[in-house]
Structures are given as structure tokens and as C-alpha cells.
Amino acid sequence: MADLQFAGEFELNTIEIIASSGQSIDNITPLEINIFESIFSNALTGNISIADTNNLIELMPLIGQEQLILKMTTPSLEGENTTIDFTKNAFSIYNISVNSEMSSGSSVYVLEFCSPELLINNRVRISKAFTDTPSTIVENVLTNHINTTKNIETETTSGIKNIVVPNQRPFDFLKCLIQDSKSTKDSPHYLFYETTRGYNFRTLQNLYEKVAVGVFNNSESNIDEKVGNTLGIQEAYDRMINFDVKPPNNALNDSRAGMFGSKIISHNIFTKSYNVKTYGYFSDFDKHKRIDEKNNPKYNDNLGNWSNSRIYVHPTSASGSNLNAQYRDENNSNNSIVANQISETLLQRKSRMYELTFSKTIAITIHGTTNIAAGDIVELNYTAPGRNHGDGTLDKSISGRYLITKLRHTFSPVTNQHQIDMVVSRDSLPSELPFSVNVAEVKKQGKAQVLDITT
């Protein structure tokens, strides 16, 4: 590919649609290609808009059973090209959502596609027992039941499990499995998702250890500065096109969701006993690593911990040493198979995932490159409008490290432009909220009066 000429430039190397009959067409004129990623989604999805002047639908009827082969390349200022390559692992077209006539002799189709693993997931079931670590079970399911050939990045889990899968879809089973998984570093915050690089089974803390893939600012466009043999391209890449800060706090919803506190009651069906564990937002805030070195709660701690705001009840079967009391090997013993750890993982996990979705969340648009994916870390340098009330020009409440939770690649071959829309989140504030005196959450005076209005 030639040298990079402008920010967001890309080259559509390959695009081909293969029908179920084996017939293929590669003389396609796409208007737009969108690829969606999320750390909360098990598979990639997307859509492609096609302008058809060759009566494609008659030559090769589109029935939602086609394969889509794609490859896009973007060069970098360092001269190393990066790609999104789905020539060896094609997408599956599953729906034709739009089929309209644009003009005489021309039609527009919008084809929706997904990873083939998602189609397989909806067609197969797992009915078997697994005895292994959760991370190994994930690899087994992906390679032997979903039959993926994509890269799989896994973070090793602790504890060997004996799990019987009762006729579940693979992804539904894995969704349950991650609820009860802990890393060797004791983190319960596992995610299972797919990006353009492959599958991921890893914790938030593992993602937080990554180096930021980019530093973005909201500055105005300045006079281009020379960078190598180009003019201002890196400056344009570093500048956010759009920036939308979502409201970080909703105290009513946060209370209902159990973010301020929650409780789990574990009923041990083996010992006929129960155990109660609680989670408090402020008391457990630093229990597991957060996104930055300086982390602070998004509320003042005069709010308190409310463990009864959300209650879970879960059965377990554990012996005194926390081994699975229901498991026995051929020697009628159990030396390593642990009981479920839901009471150790669920509360922390639920609260943190809620924080990522509904706390400090920002939607931004940047010039696209193919080396950015969901799960990457970015840094934002945000200059607030209006008067500066502190040291420096950056807004400290917004600037800092963020995790990309959702992402959309938009390729426009007509203009040769690639943009990325992404949602970035973080689970803490970089600076401490002001706190001078312990002010009650609600000011109350007097005493309630009960009036008898019986007539």
C-alpha cells in the first residue's frame, strides 16, 4: 500500500460473497461496511450496504446463507500496515434487511453478517461433564464444540471444576461459567468476548495492565505540523471528531442495582447450613485492581454501604475444606475438585460490570485504524470549555485512562474513509471528591405524625 495520505485512509483489499451453491462474486461496490465489537458480546456482528447495478440478486439469489470474505488494510506513519483480515475465517451473512431500488437499473442491499461461531452456537447443544479448570474448559468448548480456528487468548483460572452441562447452547454455558471463575490472582472479573483479533477469556485486571493504544484530545484543529513525510496526520489521528460525556451517576438506579452494597446467602446442601457474605461499595472498593493507579469512588463515602439493597440466594455443596462434596473419583475420594465459588465472585463481579456500563462513560469518534479493538486501553486529554478553575488546562474529572467497552468500525469505500465510534468507560475517578464534614444524605427534621382520618 502507498504511504498514508490522510487520517482514516484505508484500502479494501478483498471483498467477496460466496453463495451456498459455491458461486462467488467479487465485483461488488460497497457503500459502507460496519463491524461491531463489545467486551460484553460473544461474537462479532456487522452489516454491509451494497449498490447493485449488475442484477446481483438474479445472478446469485441472496437467501441469508452466504459467506462474506473481507480484508481491509490501514498503513501507519511508521510504515507498518495493520489489517482486519477475514479471508481465512469468513463472516456468515444471515439476513438481508434492506432490498430497495435506488434508481432505474440500480438497487441497494443491506446485508447483516456475524461470526460463523454465533450461527453454530444457535444450532448445537452441549450435554456432557467437564472436569478441568474453567480456562481449559473454555478452550475445549471453542475448539471442539464451536469449532473455531481463530486465535484464543485466555487468562489461567484457579481451581478444578466438575461441571455437568445440561443440554445448553455453548455460549450460554460459558456465560454461566465465567460467573464462577477466579484468576490465579484472585480476580472474579472475567469477560468472554470476540474482537477482530480473535476470542478473549480474561479479567478486567488483565486488560488494565495493557499500555494505551492511543492518546486522544478534544483540541481544535491547528495548523498542520510536519510529521515525517506527511502533514498533520498524527495530529488528526490524536484529535477526537466527536465527544459525548454520559451522566455518570444515577443514585436511584445505582441503589436498585446493588452497587452500594449487596448480599449473597449460600445454602450448603451437604452440611445443611448457610453462609452470608456481603459486599460494600466503599469497604470493598480497593479489593481488586481498578483502571488507574489513583482510584476514587464516584460518591462520597458518607453514603454508606447498603448490603440489603440487592440479595442473592445460591446453593452449593461443599465439604469443610471447600471441596465439591458431590464429586467422587474411581477411588471414591476427592482431593482437588472444588465446590462452586459463586459466593466469592458474584457480588464483586456484578457491581464492577454495572460500574463499567453506567458510571463514567464517554462516546467518542476518531479517525479509524485497524489496530484498535474492544478491550484496549486509551487515554483522554480533555480540555473543558469555559473558565479554568484549577491548575493546568485539562479537566481532571474527565481526563485519564479508559477501557474501550464497545466499538464500531465504519468503512466508507466511496470516500476511502475509516472512522471508529467507541464507548469508553472507567470504574473510578482519578481525583477524590471534596469532603469537609460528614453531611447526611437526607436532611430530616421533626417527627412523623399519624393522623386518623376515619369518618
Side-chain angles (χ1 to χ4, degrees), residues 225-370:
E225 56 188 26
K226 186 139 181 141
V227 181
N229 297 323
T230 63
L231 288 173
I233 295 179
Q234 187 62 55
E235 185 186 39
Y237 270 122
D238 294 342
R239 189 183 306 115
M240 292 178 280
I241 301 172
N242 291 312
F243 185 92
D244 182 20
V245 182
K246 306 298 181 182
N249 293 1
N250 185 322
L252 184 63
N253 290 344
D254 291 350
S255 298
R256 183 79 176 188
M259 203 199 77
F260 297 135
S262 53
K263 176 190 295 183
I264 185 167
I265 304 171
S266 299
H267 174 223
N268 192 327
I269 60 178
F270 177 70
T271 61
K272 303 298 187 294
S273 61
Y274 71 92
N275 183 43
V276 178
K277 289 198 174 183
T278 60
Y279 165 81
Y281 177 62
F282 298 103
S283 59
D284 294 326
F285 186 81
D286 294 321
K287 187 171 183 179
H288 299 285
K289 179 178 173 60
R290 294 179 177 265
I291 194 167
D292 216 336
E293 293 182 0
K294 296 181 179 179
N295 299 285
N296 298 277
K298 68 174 187 174
Y299 289 97
N300 267 327
D301 62 7
N302 56 4
L303 185 64
N305 299 312
W306 300 83
S307 60
N308 284 330
S309 60
R310 196 167 184 89
I311 299 175
Y312 301 89
V313 179
H314 193 84
T316 186
S317 179
S319 62
S321 53
N322 203 35
L323 294 176
N324 190 342
Q326 294 181 316
Y327 177 82
R328 290 292 183 270
D329 59 18
E330 61 273 12
N331 298 317
N332 196 33
S333 65
N334 177 17
N335 298 316
S336 60
I337 308 302
V338 298
N340 73 63
Q341 305 176 84
I342 289 293
S343 62
E344 305 288 338
T345 62
L346 185 68
L347 304 184
Q348 289 277 349
R349 176 183 171 77
K350 289 284 188 183
S351 179
R352 187 68 68 91
M353 296 305 164
Y354 179 86
E355 285 183 77
L356 280 179
T357 307
F358 298 106
S359 290
K360 180 68 78 173
T361 302
I362 302 174
I364 67 175
T365 302
I366 61 172
H367 293 291
T369 62
T370 53

Side-chain angles (χ1 to χ4, degrees), residues 54-282:
N54 298 317
N55 200 11
L56 174 65
I57 202 166
E58 180 178 341
L59 295 174
M60 185 181 66
L62 299 174
I63 60 174
Q65 197 179 344
E66 295 77 31
Q67 299 179 55
L68 174 64
I69 294 177
L70 282 176
K71 182 179 179 181
M72 284 80 73
T73 302
T74 56
S76 67
L77 291 174
E78 291 76 23
E80 295 181 1
N81 296 346
T82 57
T83 64
I84 291 178
D85 190 351
F86 286 88
T87 54
K88 295 181 180 179
N89 294 284
F91 285 112
S92 295
I93 296 174
Y94 66 90
N95 185 36
I96 297 89
S97 58
V98 175
N99 180 4
S100 61
E101 187 172 337
M102 185 169 58
S103 61
S104 179
S106 178
S107 299
V108 173
Y109 311 125
V110 176
L111 310 179
E112 298 182 27
F113 58 84
C114 65
S115 300
E117 291 85 357
L118 184 58
L119 285 182
I120 295 174
N121 174 71
N122 290 334
R123 295 170 178 172
V124 303
R125 301 271 181 164
I126 299 179
S127 295
K128 65 172 296 183
F130 293 94
T131 303
D132 218 321
T133 60
S135 52
T136 304
I137 294 173
V138 170
E139 296 174 24
N140 188 326
V141 170
L142 287 175
T143 55
N144 297 326
H145 297 272
I146 294 294
N147 299 323
T148 187
T149 58
K150 297 173 182 175
N151 293 334
I152 306 171
E153 294 189 3
T154 62
E155 182 182 358
T156 303
T157 53
S158 61
I160 298 176
K161 303 283 188 180
N162 177 250
I163 301 173
V164 178
V165 187
N167 202 35
Q168 281 186 298
R169 290 189 173 93
F171 287 166
D172 291 343
F173 163 55
L174 295 183
K175 183 179 179 180
C176 295
L177 181 64
I178 64 175
Q179 304 284 334
D180 188 26
S181 298
K182 293 178 71 173
S183 71
T184 54
K185 296 181 180 180
D186 204 38
S187 169
H189 304 123
Y190 267 94
L191 297 162
F192 170 64
Y193 63 97
E194 184 189 8
T195 71
T196 54
R197 302 168 188 162
Y199 278 96
N200 295 265
F201 178 70
R202 61 207 309 174
T203 62
L204 282 174
Q205 286 68 29
N206 182 271
L207 294 176
Y208 291 162
E209 293 174 358
K210 288 185 175 183
V211 176
V213 295
V215 180
F216 303 101
N217 61 74
N218 66 326
S219 63
E220 296 293 332
S221 179
N222 297 319
I223 299 175
D224 286 341
E225 56 188 26
K226 186 139 181 141
V227 181
N229 297 323
T230 63
L231 288 173
I233 295 179
Q234 187 62 55
E235 185 186 39
Y237 270 122
D238 294 342
R239 189 183 306 115
M240 292 178 280
I241 301 172
N242 291 312
F243 185 92
D244 182 20
V245 182
K246 306 298 181 182
N249 293 1
N250 185 322
L252 184 63
N253 290 344
D254 291 350
S255 298
R256 183 79 176 188
M259 203 199 77
F260 297 135
S262 53
K263 176 190 295 183
I264 185 167
I265 304 171
S266 299
H267 174 223
N268 192 327
I269 60 178
F270 177 70
T271 61
K272 303 298 187 294
S273 61
Y274 71 92
N275 183 43
V276 178
K277 289 198 174 183
T278 60
Y279 165 81
Y281 177 62
F282 298 103

